[in-house]
């Protein structure tokens, strides 16, 4: 017997967000299938290795794909944040932004998640000859590399020192809880994703429009750029980002033409560790620490699921 993935109190937050068709599945089986999805991302095991107590693995996998395509996991995270805001438990006085990498799993033969060649049971497509070409047409090595790069780009996988990786850019509130995610390739820089992550922060209250503007935003030195600071200044958000040495030396060299020096609240910057602690919580699930999913949508759905469980744990703790 496998351990229970959800308690009755936790299921009360999840049940209303799962669509139930006219002809099934039954609500008790729906909970069983959702627990199967949690088991997969928590352990990082294959779908075929799912315990029999959680149902047929093919049924759970198909149900996960339906929920992923319908945006159930993202809606669940937004609904839980809105429930916490209704109770007055969302703290947007300081939002911290950071990134982490997730290495992509490879097979024993070294094949990546994206298939670069046809399987042995499938015959390759016939090669076409160019007009006026004699003999057997050739496949250039450059064309194969180009196709491989396009597959990696579509899968949001990039090369780094650790191999094929994906990078997760996230925002956390002051109580170490996730607010937004952006998934990119592993070699993507942090600073260009600062504004996209900040735009995904949406906290729906009981009335009025969603709140998208925190009081202050904290980030480390890679986020120190003129564009990011101008964006925060335009939205009247306090920037808690230390300045790089070369940037400080540049405006100091210009003198009065360099403008005012950048202000930095060192005491408020000490609380930026909330996003680093949140990364440790996310990677407590093996299916999040390592990317076993071929498509980026499936891995992003797992991130939203893990973030939702963090919010549920906090909501049930405060309720008790």
């Amino acid at each position: 017997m496998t351990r229970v993935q959800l308690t009755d109190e936790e299921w009360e937050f999840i049940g209303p967000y799962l669509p139930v068709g006219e002809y099934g599945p039954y609500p008790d089986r729906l909970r069983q299938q959702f627990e199967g999805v949690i088991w997969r991302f928590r352990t990082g095991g294959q779908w075929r290795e799912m315990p029999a107590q959680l149902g047929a693995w093919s049924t759970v996998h198909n149900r996960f794909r339906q929920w992923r395509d319908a945006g159930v996991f993202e809606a669940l995270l937004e609904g839980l944040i809105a429930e916490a805001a209704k109770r007055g438990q969302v703290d947007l006085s300081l939002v911290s932004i950071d990134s982490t990498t997730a290495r992509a799993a490879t097979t024993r033969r070294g094949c990546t998640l994206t298939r670069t060649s046809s399987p042995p049971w499938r015959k390759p497509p016939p090669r076409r000859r160019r007009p006026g070409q004699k003999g057997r047409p050739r496949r250039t090595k450059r064309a194969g590399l180009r196709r491989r790069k396009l597959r990696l780009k579509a899968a949001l996988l990039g090369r780094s020192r650790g191999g094929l990786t994906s990078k997760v850019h996230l925002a956390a509130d002051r109580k170490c809880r996730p607010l937004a995610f952006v998934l990119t390739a592993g070699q993507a820089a942090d600073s260009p994703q600062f504004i996209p992550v900040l735009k995904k922060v949406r906290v729906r209250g009981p009335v009025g429009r969603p709140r998208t503007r925190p009081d202050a935003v904290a980030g480390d030195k890679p986020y120190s750029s003129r564009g990011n600071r101008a964006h925060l200044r335009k939205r009247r958000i306090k920037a808690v980002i230390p300045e790089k040495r070369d940037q400080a030396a540049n405006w100091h060299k210009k003198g009065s033409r360099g403008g005012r020096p950048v202000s930095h609240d060192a005491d408020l910057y000490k609380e930026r560790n909330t996003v680093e602690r949140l990364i440790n919580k996310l990677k407590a699930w093996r299916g999040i620490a390592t990317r076993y999913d071929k498509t980026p949508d499936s891995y992003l759905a797992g991130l939203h699921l893990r973030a939702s469980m963090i919010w549920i744990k906090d909501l049930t703790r405060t309720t008790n």
Side-chain angles (χ1 to χ4, degrees):
M1 293 292 293
T2 181
R3 65 175 182 175
V4 178
Q5 307 294 326
L6 294 173
T7 61
D8 295 337
E9 296 178 354
E10 294 173 353
W11 176 248
E12 292 179 359
F13 291 99
I14 300 173
Y17 294 95
L18 299 183
V20 180
E22 184 178 358
Y23 299 103
Y26 297 106
D28 54 345
R29 293 182 56 192
L30 200 68
R31 175 175 177 176
Q32 187 183 48
Q33 294 169 2
F34 195 86
E35 290 183 354
V37 176
I38 294 178
W39 176 91
R40 193 267 172 185
F41 282 98
R42 174 177 289 176
T43 62
Q46 298 181 2
W47 291 100
R48 294 177 180 269
E49 298 176 354
M50 184 173 300
Q53 293 81 4
L54 300 176
W57 71 268
S58 57
T59 304
V60 178
H61 180 242
N62 292 335
R63 190 67 59 189
F64 166 72
R65 295 179 60 182
Q66 294 173 2
W67 290 337
R68 178 202 63 189
D69 298 338
V72 171
F73 300 101
E74 188 174 2
L76 175 62
L77 178 59
E78 294 180 358
L80 293 172
I81 296 176
E83 179 65 23
K86 183 180 179 181
R87 301 182 182 185
Q89 299 178 8
V90 180
D91 190 357
L92 291 182
S93 59
L94 178 65
V95 171
S96 302
I97 296 179
D98 204 352
S99 66
T100 182
T101 57
R103 186 174 181 178
T106 56
T107 59
R108 184 177 301 177
R109 295 183 180 181
C111 300
T112 59
L113 291 173
T114 55
R115 183 174 296 165
T116 57
S117 60
S118 300
W121 63 85
R122 185 179 302 173
K123 295 182 179 180
R127 301 179 182 180
R128 298 181 180 180
R129 296 182 180 180
R130 297 179 181 177
Q133 183 180 7
K134 296 181 180 180
R136 187 178 181 182
R138 298 180 179 178
R139 288 185 177 180
T140 60
K141 187 176 181 180
R142 184 177 302 177
L145 293 176
R146 190 182 302 113
R147 289 193 298 268
R148 178 179 175 83
K149 288 182 179 180
L150 291 176
R151 292 192 185 100
L152 293 178
K153 184 178 180 180
L156 295 182
L157 290 172
R159 287 286 181 182
S160 64
R161 291 184 178 181
L164 290 176
T165 56
S166 295
K167 182 173 284 189
V168 181
H169 308 263
L170 67 156
D173 69 344
R174 207 163 189 172
K175 297 182 179 180
C176 194
R177 295 170 301 187
L179 295 174
F181 295 99
V182 171
L183 186 65
T184 61
Q187 79 279 6
D190 293 346
S191 183
Q193 305 301 325
F194 180 82
I195 299 178
V197 173
L198 201 59
K199 287 184 177 180
K200 283 184 171 292
V201 176
R202 290 174 54 88
V203 179
R204 292 187 288 108
V207 293
R209 294 180 297 178
R211 183 179 177 183
T212 60
R213 187 176 62 182
D215 298 335
V217 175
D220 50 3
K221 288 185 179 181
Y223 296 103
S224 177
S225 67
R226 185 175 301 178
N228 293 340
R229 295 184 184 276
H231 178 75
L232 296 178
R233 193 182 309 111
K234 182 180 179 181
R235 301 189 63 190
R236 298 179 181 179
I237 302 175
K238 183 179 180 180
V240 188
I241 305 174
E243 192 176 17
K244 296 182 180 180
R245 291 184 179 180
D246 55 346
Q247 295 177 353
N250 188 23
W251 69 259
H252 184 72
K253 181 174 35 179
K254 292 182 180 180
S256 60
R257 296 181 293 109
R260 297 180 179 179
V262 176
S263 60
H264 175 58
D265 192 343
D267 295 334
L268 196 59
Y269 182 75
K270 294 179 181 179
E271 300 188 25
R272 195 192 64 86
N273 61 78
T274 54
V275 66
E276 297 176 354
R277 288 155 47 200
L278 174 61
I279 291 174
N280 294 335
K281 287 184 178 181
L282 293 173
K283 290 193 173 183
W285 284 16
R286 191 182 176 193
I288 302 299
T290 304
R291 176 177 167 180
Y292 296 97
D293 302 278
K294 181 181 294 186
T295 60
D297 296 336
S298 297
Y299 182 72
L300 195 59
L303 281 171
H304 289 145
L305 174 61
R306 176 58 180 140
S308 301
M309 293 306 300
I310 293 176
W311 279 98
I312 289 175
K313 293 290 184 182
D314 191 78
L315 289 174
T316 54
R317 189 184 305 111
T318 54
T319 302
N320 294 333

